[in-house]
Amino acid sequence: MTKKTQIIVLLAFFCLVLGPFSVHADEWGTITIPAGKPIKIGMGTMLTGDYASLGIDIKHGAEMAVLDHGSILGHSLVLQAEDDGCSGPPSVAIAEKLCNDPSVVGLVGYMCSGGSKPASDIHDKYKVVMVSPSSTALELTARGIPIFFRTCWNDRIQAERAAAFAIKRGWTSVVVLHDKSDYGQSLAEDFGKNIEKRGGKVLASEGLTRGDKDFSPVLTKIKPLRPKLIYFGGMAAEGVLVARQMKRVGLRKTHFMSDDGCYTEKDFIQAGGKASNGCYVTYAKEPDPVWVKRFEAKYGPRQTFSPQAYDAATILMRAVEKAAKKQPDGSLIIGKKALRDAIAATAYDGITGRIAFDAHGDRTGSVVKIYKVVDENGKRFFKQLEF
Amino acid sequence: MMNTKKIYLPIVVLFLLLLPPMVGNYWTQVLGNIGIYVMLGIGLNVVVGFAGLLDLGYVAFYAIGAYGYALLASPHFGIHIPFWVMLPGCVALAAGGGALLGIPVLRMRGDYLAIVTLGFGEIIRILLNNLDPLTNGPRGLLRIDAPAMGNFVVNSPFRWYYLIFAGIIFSAFVADRLNNSRIGRAWIAMREDQDAAAVMGINILKYKLLAFTIGASFAGIGGAIFAARQGSIFPENFSLMVSINVLCLIIIGGMGSIPGVILGAVILIGLPEILRGVHQYRMLAFGGLLVAMMIFRPTGFIPSARRKMELRE
């Protein structure tokens, strides 16, 4: 035999022997959970710091999902929550930590887009799936990373819906404010563009500084423009102050509208008091009331993204169930690509409604609703409007 | 002193070189974070430790280095200059920033200097956040190129570790040589008594400017590495807290000493990671440790020999 035929024979032999295995092998590699060992669900969310109440709410949502699910194919489940500080460097460190943990199958998170952006690069490198309950930035799904999914909406949808609502109500002259953050500015500018596309007019667009307490100078400057609506892109800490102070400087007839950052009972309605009456915010469809009752009995009032986190964790666990192959020795083998595909193929009625993903990992269908703060029977709450 | 140094130094270096495979990816990533702070610490140490100029805006140079690299090596403008070309470029940019800050503050001392530098640090961050057409504002710069040599791309925590390690060795070497040079002694004289130093023939303006410029250039290296390593940067990565952290790690480690800076960075940046186990008590434990530290070892863990003698009197 010549050398060439030798090699061909050898190759053919390997193909014959390894062929049956290569059918099962996953092109992205596999995760093996040894018999009797728990499956870990990773989580990155803010546990300490400015928005810790939002972050802990997310953690509670995922925790409840894990407890509800119980186990997968005889393996117990553990939620490993890490503090991502809502920013890049800690999120990247956590990504390295969890992607290298052989018993972590995937991750729920990260909380903020600023953390999800750099961390998703790491997840893409190791091909470990992530399902974010709250990172809404457009770029996350626009850049073609296959392992990223989210159970929230992307900011484009949120801006579109808010603008369509405003125009329908006849609020055609608007002032756009934002907190100069990644999230707030993108959203507010997008909202402005949508208003103009629908024939409205943006009278002014101003950036505020996060952490400031007095916005009356900006609001006083806006007052002579007599806008019908002030739209604020940002979080409740600043949003609630804008809502309060605009009444004080005399913008009484102007409506206030904001985003999911202001959809929080504690930081917006309670902190705003009477001034929060009549304010509009955008958020997902109200979650299943039975679930909310169960959640609040266990953890107290919910904030914003716990239902999305509950669904994100549930989707991840269901996909693991589908992709995992039980071995005779009791261990589990999970193909990373198979797991990713199982998530991509999700068609599931969660507590936040029907969940399916488009090719980019965005949730399909309009899931953004308009809410108004109302005072009924002595109780102030977010009331979902028909729109 | 010199002899023990000769013995332990190679051992420590060898140990650090072998560390990553032993601790795995996650800790290597954390070690990389620590390494970047070591570089910043070495740089700020030149300004604060050697020359005695309290600089609270050091993060500005770090930001200049990072944005300098990110703007010229990312799809943002479609320019892709190689990392190795940009590295000296970032050093030059940061040094230029240092000189820019140095000129107006040449006649200031002590608290006033601290306030002006504090303002400078904030100005740079606010500029980055508001110059949307140039810096993409709060949305940050994404998909920054990783350094490459042919097909070898520095993209794993291990490779980054060794690159950062090389950077630290280089920075430490330069800082050490500076400290023991004519310039270093001039800085120390200036730190102890500016007027006496001037009388002795030290050109205060020149040496102050030199301290700011050289100190800043270390941050330029650190910034470029940070940007390339994280792959995306945002103005919020360059908050005042970075300046404070770097200053803290110098004080904890021991002002004016390079081993001190390294230990300080390990404690200040590494400890919060180690303390992840105690979750919400993490920051409490950390704060308590800092307080205890300042009470029991006010000179820092490894004070420089000269400082030690000063405080013993």
Side-chain angles (χ1 to χ4, degrees):
Chain A
M1 268 197 287
T2 63
K3 211 131 210 181
K4 211 170 175 181
T5 45
Q6 263 180 355
I7 290 171
I8 290 171
V9 168
L10 259 177
L11 275 177
F13 176 73
F14 276 121
C15 288
L16 267 177
V17 172
L18 299 176
F21 291 98
S22 65
V23 175
H24 297 293
D26 193 282
E27 60 181 288
W28 287 355
T30 55
I31 301 164
T32 309
I33 309 284
K37 289 279 185 296
I39 297 170
K40 279 190 199 160
I41 308 287
M43 155 147 254
T45 185
M46 189 178 218
L47 300 174
T48 55
D50 291 351
Y51 308 121
S53 67
L54 288 185
I56 292 168
D57 185 52
I58 288 174
K59 185 189 159 201
H60 286 158
E63 195 176 271
M64 195 162 141
V66 168
L67 292 176
D68 282 355
H69 208 88
S71 65
I72 293 175
L73 300 171
H75 290 252
S76 58
L77 290 162
V78 177
L79 181 76
Q80 187 172 348
E82 303 280 354
D83 186 0
D84 73 2
C86 192
S87 84
S91 299
V92 170
I94 293 166
E96 284 288 352
K97 180 177 183 179
L98 295 180
C99 292
N100 281 293
D101 186 334
S103 49
V104 169
V105 290
L107 177 130
V108 178
Y110 297 74
M111 174 166 142
C112 298
S113 299
S116 285
K117 280 181 199 172
S120 60
D121 288 331
I122 309 287
H123 278 261
D124 190 35
K125 193 170 81 189
Y126 293 106
K127 303 291 179 208
V128 174
V129 286
M130 54 193 281
V131 187
S132 177
S134 51
S135 296
T136 52
L138 197 58
E139 293 96 326
L140 279 166
T141 44
R143 54 210 277 241
I145 284 182
I147 46 77
F148 182 86
F149 298 91
R150 55 181 154 206
T151 50
C152 50
W153 41 93
N154 83 31
D155 286 337
R156 196 184 52 214
I157 300 172
Q158 183 163 218
E160 254 170 35
R161 292 283 291 172
F165 178 78
I167 294 291
K168 198 179 160 205
R169 284 288 171 106
W171 305 331
T172 44
S173 58
V174 304
V175 166
V176 172
L177 298 178
H178 56 79
D179 64 353
K180 281 302 295 178
S181 72
D182 185 355
Y183 164 70
Q185 185 173 356
S186 310
L187 193 56
E189 284 178 357
D190 226 19
F191 175 83
K193 272 181 218 149
N194 274 294
I195 285 284
E196 285 180 339
K197 217 193 294 171
R198 288 165 200 270
K201 207 169 159 214
V202 178
L203 304 172
S205 178
E206 298 272 353
L208 310 174
T209 307
R210 249 191 194 180
D212 269 5
K213 300 287 171 232
D214 185 9
F215 302 115
S216 41
V218 174
L219 294 168
T220 312
K221 199 173 125 192
I222 291 168
K223 198 181 160 192
L225 302 173
R226 306 173 76 154
K228 291 206 171 112
L229 171 73
I230 290 181
Y231 183 84
F232 173 74
M235 306 294 285
E238 287 80 24
V240 72
L241 293 176
V242 171
R244 285 178 76 129
Q245 289 167 11
M246 58 187 267
K247 300 251 158 59
R248 208 181 303 152
V249 302
L251 283 158
R252 278 175 209 288
K253 282 189 182 154
T254 307
H255 295 281
F256 175 88
M257 188 175 197
S258 186
D259 48 40
D260 56 67
C262 287
Y263 180 89
T264 131
E265 217 50 57
K266 194 168 134 221
D267 297 339
F268 194 80
I269 295 188
Q270 285 177 19
K274 244 180 159 170
S276 68
N277 272 356
C279 290
Y280 296 86
V281 300
T282 42
Y283 176 69
K285 205 175 98 182
E286 240 162 42
D288 180 8
V290 179
W291 179 86
V292 174
K293 214 170 247 170
R294 223 154 51 82
F295 181 89
E296 296 198 332
K298 190 158 184 194
Y299 301 105
R302 77 180 181 91
Q303 298 286 316
T304 312
F305 289 109
S306 42
Q308 281 74 18
Y310 183 93
D311 274 349
T314 307
I315 287 167
L316 182 59
M317 290 182 293
R318 283 167 56 98
V320 170
E321 220 152 41
K322 214 157 92 185
K325 293 204 169 63
K326 191 146 190 148
Q327 302 301 304
D329 65 350
S331 65
L332 285 186
I333 291 186
I334 303 155
K336 288 182 179 177
K337 179 99 180 3
L339 179 60
R340 184 259 162 205
D341 291 343
I343 293 179
T346 297
Y348 166 65
D349 289 309
I351 54 159
T352 59
R354 182 90 181 155
I355 300 169
F357 297 107
D358 67 10
H360 307 286
D362 261 326
R363 196 171 163 176
T364 53
S366 169
V367 284
V368 175
K369 300 275 176 194
I370 313 288
Y371 289 80
K372 183 181 182 182
V373 180
V374 293
D375 199 346
E376 281 174 11
N377 314 323
K379 197 174 168 283
R380 210 169 276 135
F381 63 102
F382 289 110
K383 187 176 184 183
Q384 189 177 319
L385 301 181
E386 286 306 319
F387 173 64
Chain B
M1 182 69 198
M2 205 55 218
N3 276 337
T4 53
K5 205 175 178 181
K6 262 183 189 154
I7 300 165
Y8 80 68
L9 198 63
I11 299 175
V12 170
V13 169
L14 192 72
F15 172 71
L16 289 176
L17 280 176
L18 293 175
L19 199 55
M22 289 192 278
V23 295
N25 267 321
Y26 165 59
W27 284 108
T28 307
Q29 179 77 18
V30 173
L31 285 171
N33 290 351
I34 294 172
I36 289 176
Y37 271 88
V38 169
M39 254 185 271
L40 295 178
I42 289 173
L44 187 61
N45 200 20
V46 168
V47 189
V48 180
F50 297 170
L53 304 164
L54 185 53
D55 183 351
L56 293 179
Y58 194 63
V59 68
F61 311 121
Y62 182 45
I64 290 172
Y67 267 87
Y69 178 67
L71 285 172
L72 296 177
S74 74
H76 185 53
F77 288 131
I79 306 170
H80 296 278
I81 301 177
F83 181 78
W84 310 106
V85 178
M86 272 314 290
L87 202 56
C90 289
V91 170
L93 269 175
L100 207 71
L101 168 67
I103 293 164
V105 302
L106 282 174
R107 285 175 184 79
M108 288 174 183
R109 291 187 199 185
D111 312 346
Y112 307 102
L113 176 75
I115 298 294
V116 174
T117 53
L118 181 76
F120 181 73
E122 281 297 281
I123 286 171
I124 295 291
R125 188 181 63 80
I126 290 168
L127 275 180
L128 293 175
N129 209 21
N130 289 285
L131 276 177
D132 291 42
L134 179 68
T135 64
N136 206 18
R139 269 160 287 198
L141 297 172
L142 308 178
R143 278 179 290 174
I144 302 164
D145 302 345
M149 282 163 282
N151 285 329
F152 183 82
V153 184
V154 183
N155 57 3
S156 72
F158 284 87
R159 291 173 188 178
W160 271 115
Y161 177 85
Y162 291 109
L163 183 70
I164 293 168
F165 194 78
I168 292 172
I169 296 278
F170 172 76
S171 312
F173 175 74
V174 173
D176 191 49
R177 298 304 296 164
L178 277 171
N179 191 21
N180 294 319
S181 71
R182 195 187 158 78
I183 301 173
R185 281 196 300 278
W187 280 337
I188 289 157
M190 196 170 79
R191 179 184 81 198
E192 295 307 324
D193 193 324
Q194 191 172 308
D195 302 318
V199 170
M200 296 309 287
I202 291 169
N203 183 344
I204 298 290
L205 295 188
K206 179 181 153 194
Y207 282 104
K208 263 195 187 175
L209 208 54
L210 213 57
F212 273 116
T213 314
I214 293 176
S217 45
F218 289 100
I221 307 180
I225 290 181
F226 173 75
R229 180 164 170 266
Q230 189 170 264
S232 49
I233 53 171
F234 308 90
E236 66 183 32
N237 296 145
F238 306 98
S239 64
L240 177 65
M241 267 322 280
V242 177
S243 294
I244 302 289
N245 270 337
V246 179
L247 193 65
C248 276
L249 72 87
I250 296 178
I251 294 168
I252 289 172
M255 187 94 74
S257 117
I258 291 165
V261 166
I262 297 172
L263 190 67
V266 170
I267 293 171
L268 209 74
I269 311 302
L271 212 56
E273 288 295 330
I274 297 167
L275 289 177
R276 267 191 194 285
V278 290
H279 281 304
Q280 60 265 57
Y281 303 110
R282 187 156 79 111
M283 287 301 153
L284 185 67
F286 183 62
L289 204 94
L290 286 187
V291 172
M293 163 78 216
M294 287 331 289
I295 292 172
F296 295 112
R297 289 213 65 146
T299 51
F301 272 110
I302 314 175
S304 74
R306 199 181 267 130
R307 284 250 165 185
K308 216 153 115 192
M309 284 188 284
E310 283 165 14
L311 275 164
R312 206 172 276 162
E313 280 168 23

